Amino acid sequence: MSSSLEFVTIFTLLVASYLLSVVHCGNFYDDVEIQWGGGHGKIFDNGKLLSLSLDKYSGSGFQSKSKYLFGRLDIQMKLVPGNSAGTVTTFYGPAMEPNHDEIDFEFLGNSSGNPYTLHTNVFAHGKGNKEMQFNLWFDPTQDFHTYSILWNPKNIIFLVDNVPIRVFKNHETLGVPFPKSQPMKLYSTLWNGEDWATQGGKVKTDWSKAPFIAYYRNFTVNACIWSPAEGQSSCPSSKNTWFRQELDVESYRKMRSLQKKYRTYNYCKDMMRFLGGTSRECTVREKDI
Ligand SMILES: *[C@@H]1O[C@H](CO)[C@@H](O)[C@H](O)[C@H]1NC(C)=O
Ligand SMILES: *[C@@H]1O[C@H](CO)[C@@H](O)[C@H](O)[C@H]1NC(C)=O
């Protein structure tokens, strides 16, 4: 091999390894820890895959090692297949002290052949009751799909396979609290909610089908990472793409047509439940919520 060719080869290798270290595709060993459930939560395939399982004795859960204050968090999940009635799989960011803030994705299992319900909610300063529920336009148990939370000072956008399904805007000007000062860890759990989850609790878990297993891969974090020592968060230089992101007209249109087809519950429309009137953000033009 001539020395210039050797140089080119080495140079190419260096560039390749540099790119690999920049394109961070998420390693569960580095980014999360199994929080509970003993052997029911597992990381394998060199950190590329994680599974949570649920049986009669225990569910399981993991949490991110870092806390985030604003960010875009993506994860790919493949949910419990078959008869998943009673199972609840979650992906959410809570902060409890001193106020309860939370951004929620929950997947409520169903009896075989019936669709999962995707449940979303937002808590800010202890106030929740902002549920929206959806059917999915695919079978979430057949393949991995990407579920994302984009959280910045202007809004929280929930995305499925990169398509926005819901946006919760910052309506502090209307007196509606918005989570923006408490850093959150990201949690994910698989647990038993048979008392309420499936068809209002009518369909119970069939434990003869246990263990129920959900798989995770490619946890991708673009976020401002909280430093407890400094008491502040530091943001990556790439933050501008998501830190300012709001839905443009085209994305709104997409989201609206998706909501028309697949949204099964909207707290803003539940007059029976909120007899005193729905929350204030519900009174702004439909386009904006
Ligand atoms: C389960 O399927 C039934 C029938 O299609 C549906 O009414 C229900 O919303 C689905 N989801 C849950 C969590 O029960
Ligand atoms: C991992 O997730 C990121 C963010 O959603 C995405 O851009 C990337 O294509 C995914 N990688 C794989 C291998 O699926």
Side-chain angles (χ1 to χ4, degrees):
M1 202 196 281
S2 82
S3 63
S4 70
L5 191 57
E6 224 165 86
F7 172 76
V8 170
T9 311
I10 289 170
F11 182 71
T12 310
L13 282 176
L14 282 176
V15 170
S17 63
Y18 172 72
L19 283 177
L20 276 178
S21 68
V22 172
V23 182
H24 174 75
C25 261
N27 183 305
F28 284 116
Y29 285 121
D30 297 338
D31 301 335
V32 310
E33 55 208 357
I34 303 288
Q35 184 203 3
W36 61 283
H40 289 73
K42 286 196 190 95
I43 298 174
F44 46 103
D45 201 5
N46 289 322
K48 287 201 215 104
L49 205 58
L50 184 154
S51 67
L52 293 182
S53 85
L54 164 72
D55 61 22
K56 239 193 223 171
Y57 307 102
S58 182
S60 46
F62 66 87
Q63 64 182 30
S64 62
K65 290 185 183 169
S66 304
K67 281 187 175 178
Y68 315 111
L69 185 58
F70 303 124
R72 175 170 171 146
L73 307 167
D74 297 66
I75 201 159
Q76 296 182 347
M77 299 170 60
K78 189 172 162 188
L79 302 178
V80 174
N83 183 355
S84 58
T87 69
V88 179
T89 313
T90 65
F91 173 59
Y92 67 111
M96 304 305 285
E97 300 292 337
N99 298 307
H100 181 188
D101 289 345
E102 190 168 312
I103 302 168
D104 266 330
F105 266 112
E106 290 188 10
F107 301 86
L108 314 182
N110 218 329
S111 41
S112 294
N114 284 312
Y116 265 80
T117 295
L118 168 53
H119 173 99
T120 62
N121 202 1
V122 175
F123 287 77
H125 296 212
K127 200 172 168 334
N129 292 340
K130 300 187 192 299
E131 300 87 351
M132 284 191 192
Q133 296 187 337
F134 302 84
N135 284 331
L136 293 164
W137 50 96
F138 51 82
D139 180 348
T141 71
Q142 285 306 298
D143 253 311
F144 284 93
H145 289 270
T146 305
Y147 303 95
S148 318
I149 293 170
L150 187 153
W151 173 36
N152 66 30
K154 291 184 176 160
N155 53 198
I156 296 164
I157 305 175
F158 295 78
L159 303 107
V160 174
D161 286 336
N162 232 353
V163 182
I165 58 160
R166 173 177 185 181
V167 55
F168 181 78
K169 287 204 166 202
N170 184 335
H171 279 304
E172 284 180 307
T173 50
L174 297 177
V176 180
F178 186 84
K180 61 162 201 219
S181 51
Q182 302 191 111
M184 298 181 185
K185 278 194 178 183
L186 201 286
Y187 286 73
S188 183
T189 57
L190 173 56
W191 55 285
N192 175 25
E194 67 177 344
D195 291 344
W196 60 274
T198 302
Q199 297 168 40
K202 286 203 288 282
V203 185
K204 304 291 180 201
T205 308
D206 177 359
W207 293 110
S208 76
K209 299 288 189 308
F212 302 101
I213 303 177
Y215 291 93
Y216 298 77
R217 65 179 195 200
N218 194 11
F219 180 37
T220 305
V221 175
N222 282 289
C224 305
I225 311 276
W226 181 256
S227 158
E230 293 165 30
Q232 61 180 41
S233 63
S234 64
C235 301
S237 53
S238 64
K239 82 169 188 187
N240 285 343
T241 47
W242 53 265
F243 198 79
R244 291 178 214 279
Q245 197 171 333
E246 290 180 276
L247 297 184
D248 57 17
V249 174
E250 186 52 33
S251 316
Y252 256 116
R253 202 169 292 144
K254 257 194 209 154
M255 184 182 75
R256 295 296 303 143
S257 79
L258 227 134
Q259 288 180 339
K260 262 195 200 120
K261 275 199 217 152
Y262 300 107
R263 185 165 62 190
T264 54
Y265 180 80
N266 177 3
Y267 74 108
C268 281
K269 302 277 186 218
D270 197 342
M271 304 304 168
M272 294 294 281
R273 177 174 167 207
F274 301 107
L275 288 173
T278 53
S279 186
R280 277 207 203 132
E281 71 276 15
C282 298
T283 63
V284 292
R285 278 179 309 146
E286 175 76 342
K287 173 184 163 299
D288 292 334
I289 58 171

